[in-house]
C-alpha cells in the first residue's frame, strides 16, 4: 500500500491517479513526490499511484533502478483516465564488483580530521578548553603581564579552527549513528544494492551531504530513504569507476 504524507498545503488539491511504465516488470516502490508540497507516495506492484496535487504542480518520479523524471501537471492530466509516465532504466548497473577491503576507513583516512590529532571525550574537551590558554604573566597576574598581539591572535584563531573541526567530527559521528539506527545493514545491501564491504564508506559519503543530513536530522524516514536512494545511485557510479 502506498504511503502518503500530507500537510497543510493539500487543502486546495485533489487526488490524481496514474501509472508508470518502463521496460521492466518491477514497477513497485518508485517514489512519487509533489515538489511543491513535499507530499510523497510510492507505486504499487502494477506501477499505479495516487497523490494530492493540482495543475502546475511538478511530480518527481525517482527510484534506484530508474532515472529521475519530472512531470508538470496540466488540467488534462486530472481528467485523463490513462495518465501514464514513462520511466527509463538506469543503464550503469554493475556487472561485476571487485571487493576491496577498507579496514582502515576512519575519520583520519577520510580527511575529516588531521592525522595524529587527539580525539577528545566530552570531559576532555571541557578540560582542554579550560586549560588551553597558558599565557605568560607577571607576578601580579595576567593583567600585569605582557602578551604580544600577533601570537595571541594566532593562538586563538588556531584553537578556534581546531574546535570547529572537532564539532564537525562530532556531527558526522552523530549522523552516522542516526543513519545506522534508522536503516539496517540489510537495507543498504538488499534494497540499495550497496556491496557489504562498501556500506561503511557509503555512510560516510552520505553524511558528507548537507542536504541529506538536514533531512536525516528531521527523522522523516520516508524523505530520508528517498534521498538515500539517489545518493546510492551516485555512489555506485563511483564504485564502478574505481573497479574499471
Amino acid at each position: 500500500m502506498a504511503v502518503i504524507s500530507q500537510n497543510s498545503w493539500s487543502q486546495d488539491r485533489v487526488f490524481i491517479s496514474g501509472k508508470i511504465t518502463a521496460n521492466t516488470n518491477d514497477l513497485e516502490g518508485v517514489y512519487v513526490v509533489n515538489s511543491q508540497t513535499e507530499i510523497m507516495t510510492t507505486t504499487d506492484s502494477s506501477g499505479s499511484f495516487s497523490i494530492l496535487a493540482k495543475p502546475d504542480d511538478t511530480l518527481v518520479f525517482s527510484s534506484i533502478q530508474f532515472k529521475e523524471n519530472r512531470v508538470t501537471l496540466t488540467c488534462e492530466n486530472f481528467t485523463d483516465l490513462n495518465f501514464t509516465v514513462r520511466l527509463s532504466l538506469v543503464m550503469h548497473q554493475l556487472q561485476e564488483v571487485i571487493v576491496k577491503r577498507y579496514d582502515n576507513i576512519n575519520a583520519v583516512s577520510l580527511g575529516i580530521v588531521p592525522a595524529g590529532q587527539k580525539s577528545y571525550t566530552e570531559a576532555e574537551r571541557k578540560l582542554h578548553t579550560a586549560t588551553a590558554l597558558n599565557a605568560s604573566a607577571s607576578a601580579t597576574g595576567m593583567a600585569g603581564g605582557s602578551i604580544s598581539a600577533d601570537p595571541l591572535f594566532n593562538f586563538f584563531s588556531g584553537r578556534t579552527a581546531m574546535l570547529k573541526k572537532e564539532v564537525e567530527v562530532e556531527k558526522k559521528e552523530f549522523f552516522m549513528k542516526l543513519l545506522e539506527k534508522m536503516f539496517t545493514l540489510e537495507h543498504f545491501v538488499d534494497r540499495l544494492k550497496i556491496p557489504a564491504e562498501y556500506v561503511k564508506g557509503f555512510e560516510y559519503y552520505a553524511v558528507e551531504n548537507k542536504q541529506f543530513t538536514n533531512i536525516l536530522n528531521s527523522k522523516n524516514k520516508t524523505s530520508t530513504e528517498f534521498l538515500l536512494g539517489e545518493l546510492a545511485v551516485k555512489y555506485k557510479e563511483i564504485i564502478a569507476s574505481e573497479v574499471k
Side-chain angles (χ1 to χ4, degrees), residues 28-31 61-67 90 191 226 229 233:
E28 185 174 7
V30 174
Y31 293 102
F61 297 81
S62 182
S63 181
I64 297 171
Q65 69 268 33
F66 296 114
K67 295 180 181 179
V90 175
R191 175 67 177 168
F226 174 73
V233 172

Side-chain angles (χ1 to χ4, degrees), residues 74-242:
T74 65
C75 294
E76 289 75 15
N77 295 141
F78 287 81
T79 58
D80 185 358
L81 299 179
N82 297 309
F83 175 46
T84 59
V85 176
R86 181 75 178 176
L87 298 183
S88 300
L89 287 166
V90 175
M91 301 307 294
H92 52 259
Q93 300 295 332
L94 297 179
Q95 300 300 319
E96 179 182 3
V97 175
I98 299 176
V99 177
K100 298 180 180 179
R101 294 189 63 85
Y102 290 96
D103 296 328
N104 297 320
I105 289 182
N106 51 48
V108 173
S109 64
L110 293 173
I112 299 174
V113 297
Q117 178 167 304
K118 178 176 174 58
S119 177
Y120 293 95
T121 64
E122 182 177 357
E124 287 173 332
R125 285 195 300 274
K126 290 180 180 179
L127 178 62
H128 182 73
T129 301
T131 60
L133 182 58
N134 187 20
S136 300
S138 68
T140 59
M142 181 68 76
S146 176
I147 305 175
S148 64
D150 288 345
L152 185 63
F153 174 80
N154 293 334
F155 177 86
F156 276 112
S157 62
R159 180 167 175 266
T160 298
M162 179 195 68
L163 293 176
K164 285 183 178 179
K165 184 161 290 188
E166 287 184 0
V167 170
E168 289 301 313
V169 172
E170 280 190 338
K171 286 181 180 179
K172 289 180 173 63
E173 291 175 347
F174 167 77
F175 288 130
M176 287 281 290
K177 292 178 181 178
L178 186 59
L179 181 60
E180 291 172 350
K181 183 178 180 180
M182 189 175 295
F183 301 102
T184 64
L185 175 63
E186 288 73 20
H187 179 86
F188 291 102
V189 176
D190 300 333
R191 175 67 177 168
L192 300 180
K193 307 301 181 185
I194 301 292
E197 296 293 326
Y198 286 89
V199 169
K200 185 62 66 174
F202 173 62
E203 291 175 351
Y204 278 111
Y205 174 78
V207 300
E208 287 288 340
N209 186 293
K210 186 172 180 59
Q211 180 185 5
F212 176 74
T213 54
N214 287 338
I215 295 177
L216 177 64
N217 199 38
S218 72
K219 297 181 175 61
N220 185 322
K221 187 172 182 179
T222 303
S223 297
T224 302
E225 184 178 358
F226 174 73
L227 184 53
L228 195 64
E230 292 187 344
L231 291 176
V233 172
K234 296 177 182 178
Y235 189 72
K236 286 186 289 187
E237 290 177 352
I238 296 174
I239 296 176
S241 66
E242 288 182 346

Side-chain angles (χ1 to χ4, degrees), residues 48-79:
S48 298
F49 65 90
S50 184
I51 190 170
L52 282 169
K54 68 179 182 179
D56 294 327
D57 281 356
T58 298
L59 299 186
V60 182
F61 297 81
S62 182
S63 181
I64 297 171
Q65 69 268 33
F66 296 114
K67 295 180 181 179
E68 181 183 289
N69 191 7
R70 293 174 174 264
V71 176
T72 300
L73 298 173
T74 65
C75 294
E76 289 75 15
N77 295 141
F78 287 81
T79 58

